[in-house]
Amino acid sequence: LLGLAVEKTDKDDCKTGISRFSAEELMIPDLKARTKADAISELAQLMERHHFISSADALVSAAMDREAILSTALGGALAFPHVRGVEGGGLTLAMGVSREGIDWSGEKVNLVFLSAIPVAVSAFYLRLMSGLIQSYSKKDAVEAAKNAGSGAALWKALVKATRHTVK
């Protein structure tokens, strides 16, 4: 379906926790998007710009097809748009924050986690989502993300929020 352009290096083997799936450059502390399609597009373009995926357009199209089947908004201000079945690369997660909130099929969403999921790690994706949901069920974690003023601050908040839930 989608080819990810990430090359696995020995350095990747040393990463732990959320760092295995995401990076500071995949954080958007102030999404410009006002719709779910625009939020997914903004995050996918970031993934492509930093060479984590090869085609933002293909990821957006597949993610919107998935949203048409069932919304990925989970309540509590969270949405987890994702695409399974990508080829190559590794599980990749980008995060964006909308302080005003985005209407996501009738839910108000402030935190958007976009994932590209290769076939080989589909089962692990469910454990990652479980850890993220557990972490962001805590109001202080949501507030820390909403208050992050930079990509570095958002990354730090994500790492802190998931330190016990994403291994």
Side-chain angles (χ1 to χ4, degrees), residues 7 12 16 26 29 35 67 71 79 90 95 108 119 126 129-130 144 147 155 161:
E7 291 183 24
D12 291 334
T16 60
L26 295 179
T35 67
E67 287 292 328
S71 173
M95 179 183 182
K108 182 179 177 184
V119 174
L126 297 175
M129 290 302 96
S130 175
N147 292 328
W155 175 246

Side-chain angles (χ1 to χ4, degrees), residues 3-13 15 19-20 25 47 50-54 87-92 118:
L4 296 179
V6 177
E7 291 183 24
K8 185 151 178 65
T9 65
D10 291 337
K11 182 180 171 188
D12 291 334
D13 292 333
K15 293 180 179 180
S19 297
R20 292 174 31 216
E25 59 266 26
M47 292 167 107
H50 289 285
H51 308 288
F52 283 87
I53 61 169
S54 59
E87 295 178 9
L91 175 59
T92 304

Side-chain angles (χ1 to χ4, degrees), residues 146-160:
K146 288 169 64 174
N147 292 328
S150 67
L154 183 56
W155 175 246
K156 185 177 178 180
L158 176 63
V159 169
K160 181 179 179 182

Side-chain angles (χ1 to χ4, degrees), residues 39-58:
I40 291 169
S41 179
E42 199 172 333
L43 290 165
Q45 288 171 23
L46 184 67
M47 292 167 107
E48 181 182 72
R49 189 166 47 252
H50 289 285
H51 308 288
F52 283 87
I53 61 169
S54 59
S55 174
D57 290 342

Side-chain angles (χ1 to χ4, degrees), residues 3-162:
L4 296 179
V6 177
E7 291 183 24
K8 185 151 178 65
T9 65
D10 291 337
K11 182 180 171 188
D12 291 334
D13 292 333
C14 299
K15 293 180 179 180
T16 60
I18 199 73
S19 297
R20 292 174 31 216
F21 317 106
S22 192
E24 183 178 324
E25 59 266 26
L26 295 179
M27 304 290 110
I28 301 178
D30 187 19
L31 284 168
K32 306 294 181 249
R34 297 295 168 242
T35 67
K36 68 179 167 183
D38 288 345
I40 291 169
S41 179
E42 199 172 333
L43 290 165
Q45 288 171 23
L46 184 67
M47 292 167 107
E48 181 182 72
R49 189 166 47 252
H50 289 285
H51 308 288
F52 283 87
I53 61 169
S54 59
S55 174
D57 290 342
L59 185 64
V60 170
S61 178
M64 291 306 295
D65 287 349
R66 166 63 181 83
E67 287 292 328
I69 295 168
L70 182 65
S71 173
T72 59
L74 294 184
L78 308 175
F80 295 92
H82 59 278
V83 175
R84 292 179 193 241
V86 297
E87 295 178 9
L91 175 59
T92 304
L93 174 78
M95 179 183 182
V97 177
S98 171
R99 286 171 186 78
E100 294 178 19
I102 298 168
D103 177 17
W104 206 283
S105 303
E107 303 258 359
K108 182 179 177 184
V109 166
N110 297 100
L111 306 183
V112 181
F113 300 87
L114 176 63
S115 299
I117 310 155
V119 174
V121 297
S122 286
F124 184 78
Y125 166 74
L126 297 175
R127 293 196 313 257
L128 173 61
M129 290 302 96
S130 175
L132 288 169
I133 292 165
Q134 184 179 351
S135 297
Y136 286 95
S137 66
K138 298 176 177 98
K139 188 170 179 64
D140 60 329
V142 173
E143 290 305 312
K146 288 169 64 174
N147 292 328
S150 67
L154 183 56
W155 175 246
K156 185 177 178 180
L158 176 63
V159 169
K160 181 179 179 182
T162 60

